[in-house]
Amino acid sequence: MRILVLGFTGYLGSHVVGRLHALPGVRVLGGGRSPDAELGIDLATASADLLAKALASAAPDVVINCAGATGGDAVTLAEVNARGPAVLCAALREAAPTARLVHLGSAAEYGPGVRDTSVAESAATRPVTPYGATKLAGTVTVIASGLDAVVLRVGNPVGPGAPPTGLPGRIAGLLREAGRDPDAVIRLGDLSAYRDFVDVRDVAGAAVRAATAAGPLPRVLNIGGGRAVPVRDLVRAMARIAGFQGRIEEDSGGSARSGEVSWQCSDITAAGDALGWRPAHTLDDSLAALWAAVRADTPSGQRDGDRAP
C-alpha cells in the first residue's frame, strides 16, 4: 500500500508518518514544501493540473492531508485551509479517483458549544473565526467531492512537538524560560474556557486507522478526548509537571481564534464504532510527553538543575 502524507513534516503529519512507518507492507510518501518531500508541492498555490500530474506519478492508494494553517491572516487561512483541499480533490478525481482521502479537519468548525453537552457529527456547524470558517470550507469540499473520503474533526491536539502557536506549546515554552525561579511570573489571558484536548499520538492513530480501514467510512468523524477540560486545569497541570515554583496570572485578554468559544467537547462515539478507536493517552500523559520533548530540546547548560549556583 502506498500512502501519501501531505504536510508530513508538520506537528500532526510527523506523528502520522511515524505511525505509518511501523506498518508492514506500507510505502510512505511525503508531500509538501520540504526539500525532502517526494511530492514537492504547496496546496496553497499549486494548480489542479500540476498536482494531478504529481499524483499520477506517485500513484497513492491513500492520501492523508495533514496540511493546514492555524494562524496568519484570513487570506493565508483561506489559501491553505479552503483552497488547498479543493485543489487536492480536483486533482485526485483526475489522477487517482479510487484513492482514499483522509482529511484532518477541526472541531472549530462547530463553533460555540453548549455547556455540559458533547457535539456529535450531525450537529450544525457555525464557526465564529476565520480559522473555523476556512476549515469548514475545506471539509465541505472534501465530503462533496465524490471521492472515497473521510474528514477527521480533530479537537485540541497536545503532546510532544506541540508548536508555540498553540496554548500547550506556548505554555511549555514559557515554563522552560521561567525555570524554577520562585519569583517568576507568567502572565496569560483568560483561562476560563473549556476545551477538548486529544493527544497528538492518538490523532495519528486515528488517521492511520482511517487510512487502512476496509470499506467506506462515515463522511465525518470526531477525534477528541471526549471530555471538556478547563484550560486553567491544563495550565496548572503543566506547571506541576514542570516543577514551576513561581506565579501564574491571568487577565481578560485571550486568543482571538478561540475567545468566542467558551465550551468545546466532542462526542467520539462514531469514531469508536467506525474505526475501533479510542484515546489511549490521558491529559497528564500528553503533558508529560510534551514537557519531556521541550526539555530534550533545551541546551544542557540551561536546564533546571544544571545552572551554576
Side-chain angles (χ1 to χ4, degrees):
M1 178 181 283
R2 295 167 66 84
I3 301 181
L4 169 64
V5 181
L6 300 176
F8 76 110
T9 59
Y11 177 36
L12 299 179
S14 60
H15 284 278
V16 169
V17 168
R19 283 294 187 103
L20 288 172
H21 278 313
L23 297 182
V26 170
R27 167 76 190 281
V28 182
L29 307 171
R33 293 175 294 178
S34 167
D36 298 327
E38 286 151 293
L39 190 71
I41 202 153
D42 184 354
L43 289 182
T45 59
S47 68
D49 288 343
L50 178 62
L51 182 54
K53 291 177 182 178
L55 288 171
S57 175
D61 299 297
V62 179
V63 175
I64 304 178
N65 184 25
C66 302
T70 58
D73 58 29
V75 173
T76 299
L77 291 170
E79 289 172 343
V80 179
N81 298 337
R83 181 189 188 277
V87 171
L88 175 59
C89 288
L92 280 171
R93 284 195 297 269
E94 178 179 342
T98 62
R100 169 166 290 173
L101 172 59
V102 179
H103 175 73
L104 299 192
S106 171
E109 297 169 32
Y110 290 119
V114 177
R115 191 176 181 89
D116 299 325
T117 301
S118 297
V119 178
E121 292 85 352
S122 59
T125 49
R126 44 195 183 96
V128 294
T129 63
Y131 170 72
T134 56
K135 290 298 289 185
L136 178 58
T139 288
V140 170
T141 298
V142 169
I143 63 179
S145 66
L147 298 166
D148 175 11
V150 58
V151 175
L152 305 183
R153 276 197 177 129
V154 179
N156 287 255
V158 60
T165 51
L167 179 66
R170 183 164 68 93
I171 295 300
L174 291 172
L175 290 169
R176 178 179 59 183
E177 292 174 9
R180 294 179 180 270
D181 180 359
D183 295 323
V185 179
I186 294 178
R187 294 180 174 85
L188 303 170
D190 182 9
L191 302 176
S192 63
Y194 287 71
R195 290 289 177 269
D196 189 328
F197 294 102
V198 58
D199 194 285
V200 64
R201 295 164 293 184
D202 288 329
V203 175
V208 171
R209 284 177 179 259
T212 57
L217 293 171
R219 287 303 194 185
V220 178
L221 291 171
N222 290 335
I223 303 298
R227 66 189 186 100
V229 176
V231 173
R232 191 175 291 115
D233 287 1
L234 176 136
V235 172
R236 289 173 177 170
M238 190 80 241
R240 170 178 50 79
I241 290 168
F244 179 65
Q245 298 176 13
R247 190 170 74 255
I248 294 174
E249 296 180 353
E250 58 182 288
D251 58 34
S252 58
S255 167
R257 184 175 127 203
S258 59
E260 296 182 62
V261 181
S262 61
W263 175 272
Q264 182 192 71
C265 185
S266 295
D267 183 339
I268 57 175
T269 304
D273 294 340
L275 304 176
W277 174 89
R278 291 285 300 177
H281 298 86
T282 67
L283 183 56
D284 272 1
D285 291 339
S286 305
L287 296 177
L290 168 56
W291 182 245
V294 168
R295 289 269 294 164
D297 287 340
T298 304
S300 59
Q302 297 178 17
R303 294 179 189 167
D304 300 339
D306 293 336
R307 296 172 181 168

